[in-house]
Amino acid sequence: MLHTVNAHEHFVTTSAAGLQRATPPMRLFEKAKRYGIWNPSDLDLRQDAADWQRLDAVEQEVLLHLTSLFQAGEEAVTADILPLIMTIAAEGRLEEEMYLTTFLFEEAKHTDFFRRFLDEVAGAHMDLSHFHSPSYSAIVYTALPAAMQALLTDRSPAAQIRASVTYNMIVEGVLAETGYHAYLSALERNGLMPGQCQGIRLLKQDESRHIAYGIYLISRLLAADPELWDVAEATMNELLAPALGVVADTFERYEIMPFGLEEAEFAGYALGQFQKRLERLERARGATLEEIYRATDLAIEQNDA
């Protein structure tokens, strides 16, 4: 079957409208241009490799475990973001599409970053998927691609909310942020691996913009149709339990968790990150677009999406 080409009828940037630079997506685009251009290959991992050799077997296994969750997760979000970009582009939301081009680049960069750690620090040239528990697999292997690929045939607001809740609220806002907290707690508190810590801090900056966009997108859709809250709430309720299960599964694997990590701290952190975004979304129901802009702008300024 031949593909039908939809010819362009006009271009926003040569019209009177131009680019709406005051909108949250354009503000995120500006931040991405300023802070998102860093190269994993420039990080100095020599001390990290030396530190790795001084770790005992359990400490090395825990870091491989955490890294395997990040590595698969970053590859998944890199592969799965394209349908959302296509959906936003099809709606003619140029400013949002422009920001999302940096989103894809940054996810690919994160995939590169964690693989460099596995290759050059840990020398881990083996299958690490045995670290991926059923809770993790339920989200990253199944729910994420299902929600994102659904946009290829259904670009409705409800489908967009399911996709963004899964991607931004759960995978990034709960799994990734809790993982970063665990990673930095293990390394920074113990004076280990300065190169990897530097990279994680840079990743956190990138991810804060991703989450800010996701909350903005869901809020924009809820403001337009408050009845979509049922879709958002159902998706969150479905995925929160396995997201918290990833934390429990990780700690359950080890009789004594090294690096001074305690399960209660990270379960509480995960739930707290989820709860504060949930409260923002609850306020978005029936809000005006101007109110959504102000809330997103405040999150961008605070770098606390």
Side-chain angles (χ1 to χ4, degrees):
M1 180 180 296
L2 294 176
H3 175 66
T4 301
V5 175
N6 295 318
H8 290 294
E9 296 181 0
H10 71 281
F11 292 95
V12 171
T13 54
T14 54
S15 73
L19 290 174
Q20 304 302 304
R21 295 190 181 276
T23 61
M26 284 301 290
R27 294 193 63 200
L28 289 168
F29 186 57
E30 287 296 329
K31 273 202 156 187
K33 290 185 291 182
R34 187 177 306 117
Y35 300 115
I37 309 302
W38 59 274
N39 186 354
S41 300
D42 291 339
L43 296 171
D44 185 350
L45 299 181
R46 288 174 294 181
Q47 182 60 50
D48 300 59
D51 288 345
W52 176 265
Q53 296 302 320
R54 290 193 288 269
L55 300 178
D56 64 34
V58 176
E59 291 170 333
Q60 290 183 345
E61 182 177 344
V62 167
L63 289 181
L64 282 178
H65 188 154
L66 286 173
T67 305
S68 79
L69 302 184
F70 277 115
Q71 185 71 81
E74 296 292 358
E75 180 180 337
V77 291
T78 301
D80 294 330
I81 188 64
L82 285 172
L84 179 60
I85 299 176
M86 294 167 65
T87 297
I88 296 301
E91 291 185 351
R93 300 181 184 275
L94 181 61
E95 291 86 358
E96 294 189 35
E97 182 188 359
M98 288 173 66
Y99 170 64
L100 285 170
T101 64
T102 73
F103 207 122
L104 176 56
F105 165 71
E106 287 165 358
E107 301 292 23
K109 181 179 60 183
H110 301 169
T111 304
D112 175 27
F113 168 76
F114 285 109
R115 190 61 240 183
R116 188 173 176 225
F117 174 84
L118 291 174
D119 291 338
E120 300 180 28
V121 175
H125 304 290
M126 74 282 283
D127 185 2
L128 300 173
S129 61
H130 60 280
F131 289 122
H132 301 164
S133 70
S135 294
Y136 180 87
S137 297
I139 296 173
V140 176
Y141 283 69
T142 304
L144 177 66
M148 300 304 288
Q149 291 174 29
L151 293 173
L152 295 173
T153 55
D154 177 9
R155 291 173 173 169
S156 67
Q160 292 181 46
I161 283 182
R162 282 190 290 269
S164 190
V165 166
T166 304
Y167 194 120
N168 304 113
M169 281 282 288
I170 300 297
V171 175
E172 293 186 315
V174 177
L175 294 186
E177 287 209 323
T178 305
Y180 296 141
H181 185 50
Y183 222 126
L184 289 176
S185 296
L187 300 182
E188 284 190 325
R189 291 178 186 176
N190 295 282
L192 296 168
M193 302 188 182
Q196 191 71 357
C197 289
Q198 180 186 1
I200 292 293
R201 288 190 294 270
L202 291 167
L203 262 72
K204 281 171 59 67
Q205 287 186 339
D206 292 347
E207 295 287 1
S208 73
R209 295 188 296 273
H210 299 180
I211 297 169
Y213 173 77
I215 301 302
Y216 165 77
L217 172 60
I218 299 168
S219 297
R220 172 168 64 71
L221 295 168
L222 288 174
D225 184 359
E227 292 187 5
L228 288 170
W229 173 253
D230 291 343
V231 176
E233 187 176 43
T235 308
M236 288 185 280
N237 288 339
E238 176 186 352
L239 297 178
L240 180 59
L244 295 175
V246 174
V247 178
D249 293 343
T250 300
F251 277 85
E252 186 177 329
R253 187 181 178 95
Y254 303 96
E255 184 175 351
I256 299 177
M257 178 65 77
F259 303 115
L261 305 182
E262 296 184 2
E263 181 176 354
E265 175 186 353
F266 298 99
Y269 183 87
L271 192 57
Q273 295 299 94
F274 175 84
Q275 187 64 37
K276 68 180 181 182
R277 276 78 184 244
L278 175 63
E279 291 170 359
R280 278 186 57 195
L281 294 180
E282 287 179 326
R283 292 193 296 270
R285 288 181 288 176
T288 66
L289 191 57
E290 289 74 18
E291 290 170 333
I292 300 302
Y293 278 16
R294 285 197 297 271
T296 306
D297 285 344
L298 180 60
I300 292 171
E301 287 300 322
Q302 294 175 339
N303 200 27
D304 184 20

